[in-house]
Amino acid sequence: MNHSATVARRAARQRITVRCVNQTDELSGAVAPGRRLTILLACPVGAWEGEGLVISTKFLEELQEYARLWPGPVRVIAEQQESWSSAFGTQVVQPGQLPFELILHSHANLDPRRVFEGSDVVLSASGTHYHDLSQQALTRGIPLVYVTEYSLKTARAIMRLETRSTLLRLRRELWLRQNHVRQRRSLQRAAAVQCNGTPTFSETEGVNERRLLYFDSRIFDDLVITDSALTARHERMMASSVPLRLVFSGRLDRMKGVQYLVPLARELSRLNVDCTLDICGGGELATQLAEQVAESGLGSRVKIRGSLDFSTQLMPFVRGDSDVFVCCHPQGDPSCTYLEMFACGVPCVGFANEALFGLAERSKAVWLSPIGDIELLAKQIGYLSSHRQEVMQHSQRALTFAQQHTFRLTYARRVEQLQTLTAG
C-alpha cells in the first residue's frame, strides 16, 4: 500500500486539509508558469474509497476543462463528504494524478487566507459561507468572480417544496430574504459574476456590470445529434399513425416535478392524445411512481427506464427515441437537462418556471404552460401531437441553440472572462 496515499486518505477523513499534487508539478518538477486560478466549490467533490477519491463525473469533467484551458496552475478547494452517490455517474480517481491541485476542507475550517494565498484570480461559489470573500478579495487586490445559480424566487420555491410546517416556512422565508440582501452586497463587491441560467442573470441586473450568462450542461460535441439522424427522426415522427414520443429525464423527486407526471399521463389518456411517455432517472419517488403507473393502468403508455448512463445510454436513447421533452419543474433551477435535450434536437414543453421562461425567450424552442396546470399542459401536448411540423421547427431551433452553448464553448467563455481580469 502506498504510504503517502494512506496518510492523505486518513487526513481527509479527519477533516485535515489534503493537498493533492498538481500533475504539471510532477512532470516538470516545478510550479507551472503563469497565474494561478483558484476555484472554490460549494458542493462536495466526493468521498474516499480505498486509495482513491470517488467524484462525480460531471464535476471531474468541469475541473479538467478548467485545467485544460487555464494558462497556468489551477487549485481547487472543495468540501469532502463521507459517502457519495450520483444518478449521473461517478469515477474513482487517484488525487495525485489529477491535472490540478486539490485541497479538501469543511466549511467549519475554511481559512480565507488559504483561498487567496498565491492566487491571481478566484472563482467562487456564492452563498452563505462565501459572502465575506469579495470584501477580502478587494482588500488584497485579487479579483474574485462569483458563480450564481438560484435566484431568491427559485430558492423560495424549493424551500416551499421541501418544508411542510407553516411556522418553519415563515422562519426559512425570513432567513432567505436576509441572506439575499447579504448576497447582493457581496456580488456588488465582486470583480465579476458568472450566472448559470437566466434567473440570476436577470436578478443581478444593476448589481454588477460584469455579468456573464451561461448555460451549464454536459454537452460534448460527440453527443450532439447529427443532421442525418435528426432528419430520420423527423421523418418517422411525421409518418401517419405513430405516437408522439414524450420523455422526462432527471431526478425523481418533488423538486423536478415528478409528482405531476402520472396525473399528466392520466389527462393525456383521457383526452385520447396519441403519445407515449418515457421516464428516465432515479430518486426518492421512483417506487411511488412505478406504483402509480401500475395502479392507473398506464403501463402501455408510460415506461419507467430507471437511471441511465448519461453518455452511453440516456443521450443515445433521447436522440433516437424522443420527440418532445416534458418538463414539470415547479421551480427555476438552471437544470442541465434543458440544454442536453436541446442537443438531441428535442424541444421542450413544460411549466413556465423562471429558468424555462428565460430559455424560451432566447431559444424559441419551448412551449410554456402555467406552473401546476396539468389540464392546460396536456392540451398543449395534444396540440403538438396534431401539429408536428411545428415540433420539427422547434426541434431545429433547439439544436441550433445547443450548438451555440456546448460544453467546450461555454467553458471557453467562462475562462476568457477570468483571463481578462488578470490581464496586464
Side-chain angles (χ1 to χ4, degrees):
M1 181 179 293
N2 183 283
H3 176 69
S4 62
T6 302
V7 172
R9 186 184 75 250
R10 289 174 179 168
R13 285 176 173 168
Q14 296 169 8
R15 295 295 187 177
I16 298 174
T17 298
V18 177
R19 188 179 295 274
C20 301
V21 179
N22 188 305
Q23 191 177 56
T24 308
D25 298 344
E26 288 186 323
L27 295 175
S28 66
V31 175
R35 301 192 173 194
R36 175 178 280 111
L37 165 64
T38 295
I39 301 173
L40 183 57
L41 298 178
C43 298
V45 296
W48 290 98
E49 182 177 287
E51 303 304 324
L53 188 68
V54 182
I55 186 171
S56 159
T57 300
K58 181 179 183 296
F59 275 151
L60 183 59
E61 290 171 344
E62 292 173 358
L63 297 174
Q64 288 173 328
E65 189 67 3
Y66 280 119
R68 186 182 75 85
L69 293 173
W70 184 258
V74 174
R75 173 172 55 195
V76 177
I77 303 176
E79 187 169 28
Q80 161 207 352
Q81 61 185 26
E82 295 304 321
S83 62
W84 182 269
S85 63
S86 174
F88 299 113
T90 59
Q91 294 184 37
V92 179
V93 300
Q94 300 300 318
Q97 301 301 312
L98 295 172
F100 47 83
E101 179 187 19
L102 176 62
I103 298 176
L104 300 177
H105 76 95
S106 70
H107 288 311
N109 66 19
L110 177 61
D111 186 345
R113 290 175 298 180
R114 179 159 292 162
V115 175
F116 294 106
E117 182 181 9
S119 300
D120 293 286
V121 61
V122 176
L123 179 67
S124 173
S126 57
T128 308
H129 299 286
Y130 312 101
H131 289 326
D132 296 333
L133 290 179
S134 55
Q135 181 59 55
Q136 296 183 35
L138 278 175
T139 301
R140 291 171 168 84
I142 298 173
L144 180 139
V145 178
Y146 279 123
V147 178
T148 62
E149 293 193 352
Y150 289 172
S151 67
L152 176 60
K153 181 178 180 179
T154 293
R156 292 174 61 199
I158 294 173
M159 180 274 292
R160 288 194 294 269
L161 286 169
E162 297 176 345
T163 309
R164 295 186 178 182
S165 167
T166 301
L167 179 59
L168 190 55
R169 279 189 180 186
L170 291 174
R171 291 173 59 185
R172 290 180 174 176
E173 175 83 21
L174 177 61
W175 183 89
L176 284 173
R177 291 185 178 278
Q178 292 173 337
N179 185 67
H180 179 67
V181 172
R182 290 187 62 200
Q183 178 159 305
R184 284 180 69 88
R185 291 171 182 165
S186 69
L187 296 178
Q188 287 175 334
R189 295 189 295 258
V193 179
Q194 296 189 355
C195 305
N196 181 10
T198 60
T200 59
F201 185 74
S202 299
E203 185 181 66
T204 55
E205 183 176 3
V207 175
N208 191 304
E209 62 181 18
R210 280 185 159 173
R211 293 176 304 145
L212 173 68
L213 171 64
Y214 73 95
F215 298 93
D216 196 23
S217 76
R218 296 165 288 172
I219 304 172
F220 288 93
D221 292 345
D222 61 343
L223 296 179
V224 179
I225 193 169
T226 62
D227 291 339
S228 60
L230 185 60
T231 298
R233 202 180 72 210
H234 283 170
E235 289 176 349
R236 182 265 175 203
M237 183 182 66
M238 295 301 292
S240 59
S241 302
V242 296
L244 186 70
R245 296 172 298 183
L246 309 174
V247 64
F248 171 90
S249 173
R251 295 195 314 274
L252 302 186
D253 59 25
R254 291 180 58 82
M255 180 172 162
K256 299 299 182 180
V258 172
Q259 64 273 22
Y260 294 105
L261 292 178
V262 171
L264 174 62
R266 290 197 200 103
E267 183 64 13
L268 288 168
S269 178
R270 189 186 71 81
L271 295 174
N272 293 317
V273 177
D274 190 15
C275 66
T276 61
L277 173 61
D278 288 288
I279 301 173
C280 305
E284 59 186 19
L285 297 182
T287 300
Q288 179 181 328
L289 185 65
E291 293 173 350
Q292 289 177 342
V293 170
E295 291 170 359
S296 300
L298 295 169
S300 62
R301 296 171 65 96
V302 180
K303 303 295 182 184
I304 301 177
R305 302 287 176 178
S307 296
L308 304 178
D309 179 79
F310 176 70
S311 59
T312 64
Q313 296 177 309
L314 176 62
M315 292 294 277
F317 174 76
V318 176
R319 287 196 301 263
D321 297 281
S322 305
D323 300 314
V324 177
F325 168 49
V326 176
C327 176
C328 298
H329 296 189
Q331 45 69 44
D333 74 297
S335 174
C336 295
T337 308
Y338 299 138
L339 269 290
E340 290 160 2
M341 297 296 104
F342 278 14
C344 297
V346 174
C348 177
V349 59
F351 292 159
N353 64 65
E354 58 177 345
L356 195 55
F357 182 86
L359 188 61
E361 287 187 318
R362 287 164 172 77
S363 69
K364 310 302 180 185
V366 180
W367 298 273
L368 296 172
S369 295
I371 294 175
D373 194 331
I374 291 297
E375 292 185 1
L376 191 57
L377 182 59
K379 290 178 181 178
Q380 179 71 76
I381 293 171
Y383 169 83
L384 298 179
S385 182
S386 302
H387 295 79
R388 302 196 180 189
Q389 187 68 35
E390 185 172 328
V391 175
M392 286 177 55
Q393 294 168 353
H394 274 55
S395 175
Q396 187 59 59
R397 285 195 285 267
L399 175 58
T400 299
F401 189 85
Q403 289 170 331
Q404 297 167 352
H405 298 277
T406 62
F407 181 89
R408 298 291 191 204
L409 290 175
T410 295
Y411 279 83
R413 294 182 188 114
R414 297 183 67 184
V415 169
E416 181 181 17
Q417 186 195 51
L418 295 173
Q419 286 182 279
T420 62
L421 298 174
T422 63

